[in-house]
Amino acid sequence: AQKVTQAQTEISVVEKEDVTLDCVYETRDTTYYLFWYKQPPSGELVFLIRRNSFDEQNEISGRYSWNFQKSTSSFNFTITASQVVDSAVYFCALSGRAGGTSYGKLTFGQGTILTVHP
Amino acid sequence: KAGVTQTPRYLIKTRGQQVTLSCSPISGHRSVSWYQQTPGQGLQFLFEYFSETQRNKGNFPGRFSGRQFSNSRSEMNVSTLELGDSALYLCASSRDRGGSYNSPLHFGNGTRLTVT
């Protein structure tokens, strides 16, 4: 079975601090995809970043960067110079072909509530 | 490009009633998925439709059903509502089968269902 664990329930930082959100996953698939989503108070899940299991190159996109390590099954997400507008719930998600089902189902972590104070 | 549209935004129903939620995907997207979000269980997959066929189903009772129309719009139905069905129901669309690298899911604002 697939599983995603976000050990940090809540994080509180002051504006301009860097913050890293942790994500650990479990899967038997050799091909899988990882995602980070942001959920502001409006409720909509906003797609942020993605990574496939064959590409461990870490990337930076604006203030976002991510660190994917297959050896530790981790997919951590960092926001640099956080802003108040970054306050939201952040979800890590995984998709794969476990159990014979094809992609089309995301397994989400429990979410991390990020509060950025001015 | 318009995003995923879900209607209604809020619903209040009584136990035993049934409810239908609607989802219009992003133009050109052929896959629609539904998720239930509750404080206790988090985000849970309900089902996925692609080309009017259910392709994948989560672990929910048969009271939860859905369908997809030829224009890719989707509806979700819950019959014989229970208090535990109170949740935020999120619809997501993707160009092809959702959840892959080239076809990430794009979510709507959700329908907040309250069962009293």
Side-chain angles (χ1 to χ4, degrees), chain B residues 9-112:
Chain B
R9 286 297 308 275
Y10 302 93
L11 264 178
I12 300 176
K13 290 286 187 178
T14 306
R15 260 186 314 177
Q17 288 185 315
Q18 77 164 21
V19 66
T20 299
L21 313 182
S22 180
C23 173
S24 293
I26 292 172
S27 177
H29 284 195
R30 297 183 295 165
S31 173
V32 173
S33 302
W34 289 89
Y35 288 78
Q36 181 196 64
Q37 185 176 24
T38 58
Q41 299 299 317
L43 279 155
Q44 293 187 289
F45 171 75
L46 280 157
F47 26 67
E48 180 211 9
Y49 287 87
F50 183 79
S51 294
E52 301 178 63
T53 302
Q54 187 180 89
R55 304 294 179 132
N56 215 339
K57 190 176 190 304
N59 296 323
F60 280 82
R63 300 185 298 105
F64 291 81
S65 63
R67 59 178 176 168
Q68 186 181 33
F69 302 96
S70 58
N71 61 359
S72 294
R73 193 176 68 84
S74 176
E75 287 182 348
M76 190 192 99
N77 185 276
V78 187
S79 62
T80 319
L81 284 166
E82 300 176 0
L83 294 178
D85 297 333
S86 295
L88 178 66
Y89 290 88
L90 290 160
C91 169
S93 75
S94 56
R95 189 181 62 224
D96 296 305
R97 294 295 305 281
S100 67
Y101 183 82
N102 292 319
S103 193
L105 296 182
H106 296 270
F107 286 81
N109 285 331
T111 293
R112 172 82 58 190

